[in-house]
């Protein structure tokens, strides 16, 4: 048996964050213009470390801001990136311990297994969608992480990228990618 969707969402939404990344790009007339992107991420420890997708913060010297579920905002430092696997590790410095999520195992996932996806689609705040594992180790032919996807029919919209994908025990088994 597992936890209910409500139980998982109630606990996990507190540790799921909205990420806004601003990078400077050159416009048509070579003028420097800010370009903003947004996505999701999740806290993996009480000290403020956050996992997300690399493409959520991609760019030269990005300025990254994290908004927690209580609407508090923090500047984030980029600790590490892994472009090949589309991962980034960030850190915020809060004056308190933060809620965090447990990382689970995806090695034994089975097609048909129930999953939940949490994120901040379109910057609207925490949402949850449910589905099943449609395929494991999905190969897109692009290499890297793109040859090891967990395919799900849970709705993943723009802005959900970087958010957690859960098994029904409430463990993070993947990172959403839209």
């Amino acid at each position: 048996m597992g936890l209910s969707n409500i139980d998982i969402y109630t606990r996990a939404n507190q540790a799921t964050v909205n990420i806004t990344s601003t990078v400077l790009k050159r416009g048509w007339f070579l003028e420097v213009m800010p370009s903003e992107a947004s996505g999701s991420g999740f806290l993996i420890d009480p000290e403020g470390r956050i996992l997300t997708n690399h493409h959520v913060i991609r760019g030269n010297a990005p300025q990254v801001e994290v908004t927690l579920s209580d609407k508090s905002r923090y500047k984030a430092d980029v600790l590490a990136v892994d472009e090949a696997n589309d991962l980034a590790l960030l850190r915020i410095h809060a004056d308190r311990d933060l809620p965090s999520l447990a990382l689970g195992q995806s090695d034994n996932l089975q097609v048909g297994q129930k999953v939940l996806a949490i994120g901040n689609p379109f910057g609207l705040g925490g949402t949850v969608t449910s589905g099943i594992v449609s395929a494991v180790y999905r190969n897109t032919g692009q290499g890297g992480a793109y040859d090891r996807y967990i395919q799900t029919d849970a709705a993943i919209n723009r802005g959900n990228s970087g958010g957690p994908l859960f098994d029904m025990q409430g463990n993070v088994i993947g990172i959403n990618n839209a």
Side-chain angles (χ1 to χ4, degrees):
M1 198 73 177
L3 300 172
S4 75
N5 295 359
I6 295 168
D7 291 336
I8 294 171
Y9 177 78
T10 299
R11 183 175 55 89
N13 186 52
Q14 302 303 307
T16 303
V17 303
N18 186 52
I19 298 172
T20 305
S21 175
T22 305
V23 296
L24 299 177
K25 295 186 176 184
R26 295 253 180 221
W28 181 258
F29 297 104
L30 301 179
E31 71 279 18
V32 176
M33 302 174 5
S35 176
E36 195 171 272
S38 68
S40 302
F42 56 96
L43 289 150
I44 59 170
D45 64 31
E47 290 81 38
R49 282 189 279 275
I50 298 166
L51 275 178
T52 189
N53 291 127
H54 175 257
H55 76 264
V56 169
I57 62 152
R58 178 175 38 225
N60 292 326
Q63 295 176 349
V64 181
E65 183 178 78
V66 170
T67 305
L68 303 180
S69 64
D70 66 3
K71 306 300 181 208
S72 58
R73 294 176 179 222
Y74 297 90
K75 180 185 174 293
D77 298 316
V78 178
L79 298 180
V81 296
D82 181 347
E83 291 182 47
N85 289 300
D86 195 20
L87 294 173
L89 180 64
L90 312 177
R91 181 161 190 187
I92 60 173
H93 297 280
D95 56 354
R96 58 190 163 104
D97 281 349
L98 298 168
S100 59
L101 299 176
L103 299 179
Q105 291 290 325
S106 60
D107 295 341
N108 297 318
L109 287 178
Q110 295 181 5
V111 172
Q113 183 175 336
K114 291 183 181 182
V115 292
L116 292 180
I118 295 182
N120 295 292
F122 312 109
L124 297 174
T127 64
V128 63
T129 59
S130 65
I132 61 168
V133 173
S134 304
V136 293
Y137 295 102
R138 177 61 72 199
N139 183 337
T140 64
Q142 295 179 13
Y146 302 105
D147 281 343
R148 296 187 307 272
Y149 268 111
I150 301 166
Q151 182 180 339
T152 179
D153 66 351
I156 308 291
N157 296 301
R158 187 170 166 226
N160 277 102
S161 285
L165 181 69
F166 294 93
D167 62 20
M168 296 311 293
Q169 283 68 47
N171 298 308
V172 176
I173 56 168
I175 298 178
N176 303 326
N177 190 330

